[in-house]
């Protein structure tokens, strides 16, 4: 088994540091953008926007019926760059059409989706189009990773991290919260365009010779549904708070701000998973390699996660004060969610991604269905008892529980390998 030093060197050799730094900068610039918006708009305006974006954030993983995830998984089995390019064009063409239809559906349904917060309708109709723009960016990143160009994939994120704050300041200053919605929608497309053009990734292909497309689309759909359920899991608390306190958007804003840091911290395990996805997909049947990977992850990045979250816990009041003095009162919410994030770092994210990498997207989906139902029930019990702290407590408990489920199911898969 590799030492921690050797594991980090291997991670660095696969340009994992590039991906991690790109994700950190992307989240950091997103954080700075939100700080600018919260200081430039009212709590009510930001709360209405947060409600609408929470809906989109939950739907985005379903873009393209998981075509870009399926492309990344199946590209690991493709022979030669030319076949990967053809597979990419097929997946991108159908994925983009599906995403555009999904955005149109949300625009049409926006009055119903925002029935309790009608001020959110205009924001929702704008950010609905983040689905196809984000799909385009994710496809360029997936193609880069499939070609083992992790550094190029990271550059897309780096460009996005620069485009977003510039557009945010420019458009928000002119149009208020509507301008921020436009910045969120346009930034992915602007960031990915030069790289996609450089790689020649704008070909269209509706048919591609393959023995059977059933496994490809089955994997894509189950991965998309699993990711959708996962995003719903991270969004259901805010949505239920909106239903529970519809006349107080400032409460939604307070909870949203408290949740930003714990959710943003997931870039650490997420970056490791993104870097190692193709590698783990190629060794899906290697029992010893998978076991070694898990222990190496825990010993290295698991330790770093605990240290990082501990520092945020101590600095919680100061961090929230950056958003405005009115948000310091959300310190207890932030700390409750940080405790749950430890479970996400150590169990939920690494084992959930390992299940996807070894081709068990269906198992991920079934786990996420069970977890989402239990989270709704737990929020329904704790919200009336403890107000918004009850929602945070429910999320914290379920982050640990879902992580344990992922770990248990992966262990069952691992035991079945010869």
């Amino acid at each position: 088994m590799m030492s921690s030093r050797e594991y980090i060197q291997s991670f660095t050799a696969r340009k994992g540091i590039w991906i991690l730094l790109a994700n950190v900068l992307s989240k950091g610039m997103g954080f700075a953008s939100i700080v600018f918006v919260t200081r430039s708009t009212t709590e009510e305006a930001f709360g209405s926007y947060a409600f609408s974006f929470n809906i989109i954030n939950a739907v985005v993983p379903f873009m393209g019926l998981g075509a870009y995830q399926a492309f990344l998984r199946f590209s690991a089995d493709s022979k030669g760059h030319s076949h990967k390019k053809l597979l990419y064009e097929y997946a991108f063409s159908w994925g983009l059409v599906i995403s555009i239809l999904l955005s149109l559906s949300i625009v049409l349904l926006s009055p119903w989706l925002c029935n309790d917060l009608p001020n959110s309708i205009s924001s929702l109709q704008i950010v609905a189009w983040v689905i196809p723009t984000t799909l385009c960016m994710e496809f360029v990143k997936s193609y880069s990773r499939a070609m083992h160009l992790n550094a190029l994939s990271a550059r897309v994120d780096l460009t996005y991290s620069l485009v977003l704050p510039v557009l945010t300041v420019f458009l928000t200053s002119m149009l208020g919260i509507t301008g921020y919605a436009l910045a969120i929608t346009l930034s992915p497309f602007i960031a990915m365009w030069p790289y996609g053009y450089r790689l020649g990734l704008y070909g269209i292909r509706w048919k591609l010779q393959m023995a059977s497309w059933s496994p490809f689309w089955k994997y894509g759909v189950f991965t998309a549904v699993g990711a959708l359920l996962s995003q719903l899991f991270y969004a259901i608390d805010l949505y239920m708070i909106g239903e529970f306190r519809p006349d107080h958007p400032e409460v939604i804003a307070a909870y949203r701000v408290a949740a930003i840091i714990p959710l943003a911290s997931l870039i650490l395990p997420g970056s490791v998973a993104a870097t190692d996805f193709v590698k783990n997909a190629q060794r899906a049947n290697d029992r010893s390699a998978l076991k070694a990977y898990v222990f190496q992850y825990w010993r290295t990045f698991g330790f770093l996660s605990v240290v990082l979250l501990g520092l945020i816990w101590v600095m919680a009041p100061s961090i929230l004060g950056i958003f405005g003095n009115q948000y310091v009162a959300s310190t207890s919410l932030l700390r409750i969610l940080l405790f749950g994030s430890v479970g996400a770092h150590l169990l939920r994210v690494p084992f959930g991604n390992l299940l996807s990498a070894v081709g068990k997207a269906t198992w991920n989906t079934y786990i996420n269905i069970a977890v989402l139902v239990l989270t709704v029930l737990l929020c329904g019990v704790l919200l009336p008892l403890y107000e918004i702290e009850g929602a945070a407590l429910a999320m914290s408990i379920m982050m640990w529980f879902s992580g344990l489920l992922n770990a248990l199911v992966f262990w069952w898969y691992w035991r079945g390998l010869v």
Side-chain angles (χ1 to χ4, degrees), residues 227-271:
L228 171 64
L229 293 169
S230 180
Q231 285 292 82
L232 283 173
F233 167 72
Y234 287 116
I236 196 63
D237 51 349
L238 197 64
Y239 188 82
M240 291 190 71
I241 291 171
E243 294 292 318
F244 186 68
R245 301 288 296 273
D247 299 326
H248 297 277
E250 69 279 1
V251 173
I252 299 175
Y255 190 92
R256 168 65 176 157
V257 168
I260 287 172
I261 304 300
L263 294 181
S265 75
L266 297 179
I267 62 174
L268 179 58
S271 297

Side-chain angles (χ1 to χ4, degrees), residues 133-168:
T133 62
T134 300
L135 179 81
C136 292
M137 185 171 75
E138 290 300 326
F139 256 117
V140 173
K141 290 164 59 179
S142 292
Y143 183 82
S144 301
R145 289 164 58 194
M147 294 298 187
H148 303 287
L149 301 172
N150 283 337
L152 184 59
S153 175
R155 288 191 194 105
V156 178
D157 276 328
L158 287 170
T159 304
Y160 173 76
S161 69
L162 297 175
V163 171
L164 177 60
V166 171
L167 279 185
T168 295

